[in-house]
Amino acid sequence: METIANKVTEAEAVSKFLPGEKILTLKRHGNGHINDTFFLETDRDRYILQRINHEIFKDPQKLMENIYAITTHLKKAIRKNGGDENRESLTVIKTSDDKLLYEDADGGFWRMYLFIKDAVCLEKVEKPEDFYESALAFGNFQRMLSDFDPKILHETIPDFHNTPKRYDDFEKAVALDKLGRAANVSKEIEFVRSHREEMGLGEKLLREGKLPLRVTHNDTKLNNIMMDKKTGKGITIIDLDTVMPGLAIYDFGDSIRFGANTAAEDETDLSKVSLDLGLFRVYAEGFIKGAAGGLTDEEIKMLPYGAKNMTMECGMRFLTDHLLGDTYFKIHRENHNLDRARDQFALVADMEAKWDEMQEIIEKIMRDQKEKIYA
Ligand code: ADP
Ligand code: GN1
Ligand code: MG
């Protein structure tokens, strides 16, 4: 068996889900910023074991009830389409006493999923077709959840994409200046402040009923989707922790923020950071197609704003965490959150330079769609 730190605790957790299975491999896995994720291979099958970050998800039981309800709904839709429900959806493995979670003696909360086999999780778009396929899959995910009753869902992180609320949290962190870091980041603080007003637009349109509240994923970055190794298709949407009522333009936007950036999310050479307009167009086409007519004209028109606002909000969250002492996002080096924030702000600036082109791309897709309908 390959070993890892804390192996007693992880192995103990495994025994609660899979008593009698022999552990062959158990090791850290993936690049998520939130949970502790482990790859597990036993003499029977392969699995993902996760310790849920309960500083962030305050009620792991309710979180798992959400995920169980969502995956049950998705599996039904997948079966109806003749698909493979254990491959196209996450599958929750319960404990041997039929619970969705195991709570260890230290107050850690563990869950288990089937491992999605013969699939890869990309950290970077390698070719436009991959990005198009991921867009189709996220659009399709949105469509499959369009008849899911949002009232069943617990709000796992209240105000997750409430950008004005995020702005208030940012100002509080600046005022507190817990570690005396604010003086060094005055340029970044100014950048956020200069965008304050526009960051409220999504919430305003929602209040006015111009954008609908839907059941959305809310964390649609490229490494939250598994791509089939053979066909290259987006096969499974993972990381369902933040599935909650939200705005479709933000699901679109978060994918653009991560996948259409010509650099990694934490690149320090900012000259490498820019919006790839080709990828923006490809993703927009896939997302609209995947949603299969489910998006309103107003939503489609607001896609560029969704991209810019998610980038702005994420940069602001990274900067807030830097000011508060890096307690939210996992960091792997000094100033990691600051590097991430600077990268996001550089991307926002590039979107501003390319704003007219972003709008034209979306308008052209809308015109082409109408022509197809009336042809
Ligand atoms: P986080 O919330 O920390 O991002 P994720 O649930 O996204 O955690 O998991 C982290 C990584 O683990 C993913 O990016 C993916 O590479 C991998 N992963 C998660 N669930 C599965 C699964 N069921 N099958 C295969 N890989 C998975
Ligand atoms: C986190 O969990 P993960 O790594 O897929 C975060 C997202 C951010 C993203 C930035 C629950 O996503 O909101 O956009 O990092 N998830 C949570 O990379 O806060
Ligand atoms: Mg993730």
Side-chain angles (χ1 to χ4, degrees), residues 333-351:
R333 59 177 189 245
E334 207 185 329
N335 290 335
H336 205 166
N337 276 315
L338 177 58
D339 294 342
R340 290 169 176 151
R342 286 182 169 148
D343 177 304
Q344 301 302 292
F345 297 151
L347 185 58
V348 168
D350 194 54
M351 287 179 180

Side-chain angles (χ1 to χ4, degrees), residues 52-284:
I52 298 173
N53 184 330
H54 65 274
E55 291 295 320
I56 292 180
F57 298 104
K58 306 278 186 216
D59 192 333
Q61 176 61 28
K62 288 202 168 121
L63 168 75
M64 286 312 291
E65 285 168 18
N66 272 7
I67 293 183
Y68 197 70
I70 293 156
T71 51
T72 303
H73 183 93
L74 291 173
K75 281 168 180 285
K76 220 159 108 193
I78 293 164
R79 277 200 300 276
K80 223 162 128 190
N81 278 337
D84 178 349
E85 61 175 281
N86 285 343
R87 186 159 161 68
E88 294 167 39
S89 159
L90 280 178
T91 301
V92 175
I93 306 284
K94 291 189 185 167
T95 63
S96 56
D97 54 353
D98 205 34
K99 303 228 166 70
L100 296 168
L101 281 169
Y102 163 62
E103 185 179 354
D104 68 26
D106 301 334
F109 291 90
W110 299 84
R111 69 172 166 214
M112 194 177 276
Y113 295 122
L114 278 184
F115 184 80
I116 310 290
K117 300 181 190 84
D118 304 314
V120 285
C121 169
L122 301 175
E123 293 299 327
K124 188 178 174 306
V125 173
E126 277 151 20
K127 40 186 195 326
E129 299 80 54
D130 291 341
F131 205 37
Y132 179 76
E133 291 299 336
S134 78
L136 269 185
F138 272 120
N140 188 37
F141 179 82
Q142 179 102 105
R143 192 181 50 74
M144 287 199 287
L145 288 180
S146 62
D147 57 345
F148 184 86
D149 180 4
K151 285 199 244 37
I152 299 174
L153 289 178
H154 308 289
E155 210 177 2
T156 53
I157 302 181
D159 295 313
F160 191 58
H161 284 316
N162 180 343
T163 321
K165 169 79 174 39
R166 295 281 187 189
Y167 182 86
D168 292 345
D169 293 345
F170 156 77
E171 284 292 3
K172 277 184 206 145
V174 176
L176 186 65
D177 196 16
K178 205 166 142 191
L179 300 172
R181 289 177 167 178
N184 270 334
V185 294
S186 53
K187 232 174 73 198
E188 288 74 17
I189 293 174
E190 211 28 65
F191 187 83
V192 174
R193 287 184 172 152
S194 69
H195 287 78
R196 178 181 186 172
E197 205 165 316
E198 65 188 73
M199 281 194 272
L201 184 57
E203 288 294 314
K204 179 170 172 284
L205 293 175
L206 177 65
R207 268 196 315 274
E208 293 171 354
K210 293 182 180 148
L211 288 175
L213 196 62
R214 301 183 184 279
V215 176
T216 49
H217 183 281
N218 294 307
D219 190 2
T220 52
K221 64 181 184 184
L222 192 66
N223 62 16
N224 285 331
I225 178 167
M226 307 295 306
M227 315 288 295
D228 188 293
K229 265 190 199 159
K230 258 200 222 122
T231 65
K233 304 252 181 256
I235 185 102
T236 328
I237 304 294
I238 61 170
D239 203 344
L240 304 177
D241 295 337
T242 51
V243 173
M244 283 181 284
L247 296 178
I249 62 166
Y250 288 168
D251 269 7
F252 171 83
D254 201 40
S255 295
I256 296 298
R257 172 192 79 71
F258 190 87
N261 185 349
T262 49
E265 185 183 66
D266 58 356
E267 173 62 58
T268 50
D269 178 354
L270 297 182
S271 69
K272 292 187 179 155
V273 175
S274 66
L275 175 75
D276 183 324
L277 281 170
L279 290 181
F280 175 78
R281 178 178 50 75
V282 158
Y283 196 90

